[in-house]
Amino acid sequence: MLKAITSRDNPNVKRLHALATSSRERRSSALTLLDGAHLMQAALDAGWPLREIVVSAQGLERPEIRGIVERCGALPVLQLTDPLFAHVSPVDTPSGILAVIDIPNSPMPKGLCDSLLVLDGVQDAGNLGTILRTAAAAGLKEVLLTPGCAQAWSPRVLRAGMGGHFCLRIHEHVQVADVLRGYRGQILATGLGAGAQPLYECDLRGPVAWLFGAEGQGLSAEVAALASGLVVIPMPGAVESLNVGAAAAICLFEQVRQQGAVARG
């Protein structure tokens, strides 16, 4: 059912603007926004439930967006004028379509035994979304975020994640020391400390809890102390460090390579 809205004073417009701009509103309502046709297609393909669709008048003229609206069947659809849609859009360049979804509450599993990712204080939305996308592509299922991280389900992180969120169980505000107590795999961090091993010489065929810290600051002392080993990524070039997203991708896919070799063997 399509409902046209033309006034900025409409309660729906105020609600959507709050979801787009306020992390507090997203937390209190346990709702967030998906932005763009690609992200909505990824959600639908993953069977992710949508609550509501929001389209701009111009966006509804595009066949791709009309197709998404038709695919969603009886889901409520709000049609906003183009200026109103720009007002509620969480990005600078409005895509023409949004969806409201619930923020999932993923219960922490007991006895973690598979490989997983721990992000400590990663605050850049683009980096966080990219790392989540990388984790999903590498086949991980569990991601733990410490209290200092950006909000994983913010519209900008979702956009950067490009659908990776829908393949993961993301746990926010985690006290990592408690969760990893008794973890039977390796707990690895990147670093240059004593005993650090080159990444490509490490045995990554078993489960690994990967620890990655904030841009520029690295891991907090509390989380760094959990590491059972340090790995260093060989860098023969003239730079001293890598972006945390690049470092995570290199480490996770070296583990994928090693585990793939075992499977083929």
Side-chain angles (χ1 to χ4, degrees):
M1 180 178 177
L2 188 146
K3 178 181 180 181
I5 296 176
T6 59
S7 171
R8 185 176 286 205
D9 293 328
N10 186 285
N12 288 301
V13 172
K14 295 180 179 180
R15 172 175 56 87
L16 293 167
H17 183 261
L19 289 176
T21 59
S22 170
S23 59
R24 178 179 297 180
E25 178 65 23
R26 291 190 292 269
R27 282 194 298 269
S28 64
S29 66
L31 299 172
T32 191
L33 298 178
L34 302 183
D35 174 70
H38 176 87
L39 195 54
M40 287 187 61
Q41 292 281 16
L44 292 169
D45 290 345
W48 203 269
L50 310 182
R51 274 180 168 261
E52 183 179 46
I53 299 174
V54 185
V55 295
S56 67
Q58 192 174 52
L60 198 55
E61 297 175 0
R62 292 167 46 193
E64 183 181 26
I65 289 179
R66 286 201 308 272
I68 292 174
V69 172
E70 292 169 1
R71 183 177 176 184
C72 292
L75 204 65
V77 179
L78 302 179
Q79 180 182 329
L80 275 57
T81 64
D82 294 335
L84 279 183
F85 189 91
H87 175 64
V88 304
S89 173
V91 297
D92 296 332
T93 304
S95 64
I97 188 166
L98 301 169
V100 179
I101 65 167
D102 292 297
I103 296 176
N105 181 19
S106 300
M108 185 68 67
K110 295 182 179 180
L112 289 168
C113 57
D114 295 326
S115 290
L116 56 94
L117 186 64
V118 175
L119 301 179
D120 181 30
V122 177
Q123 297 178 347
D124 182 84
N127 278 342
L128 179 54
T130 297
I131 295 169
L132 294 175
R133 184 183 184 189
T134 298
L140 270 63
K141 296 300 181 185
E142 310 286 346
V143 180
L144 315 182
L145 275 62
T146 67
C149 287
Q151 191 179 49
W153 292 89
S154 75
R156 290 184 181 273
V157 175
L158 278 158
R159 190 177 177 92
M162 297 289 285
H165 288 69
F166 310 130
C167 308
L168 299 167
R169 290 183 290 272
I170 301 170
H171 311 280
E172 299 188 88
H173 305 285
V174 175
Q175 299 303 317
V176 180
D178 295 337
V179 175
L180 291 185
R181 187 175 293 115
Y183 182 72
R184 296 185 179 182
Q186 299 182 81
I187 303 177
L188 298 180
T190 58
L192 297 173
Q197 287 187 287
L199 174 68
Y200 303 118
E201 296 177 13
C202 296
D203 184 352
L204 305 175
R205 293 171 294 177
V208 175
W210 292 99
L211 312 179
F212 293 99
E215 304 84 357
Q217 299 174 346
L219 293 169
S220 65
E222 178 186 6
V223 174
L226 302 174
S228 58
L230 288 176
V231 300
V232 59
I233 299 171
M235 291 186 291
V239 297
E240 295 181 355
S241 63
L242 289 172
N243 170 278
V244 63
I250 291 168
C251 293
L252 293 182
F253 277 93
E254 172 59 15
Q255 185 179 22
V256 168
R257 185 193 68 81
Q258 291 190 22
Q259 292 179 337
V262 170
R264 289 192 299 274

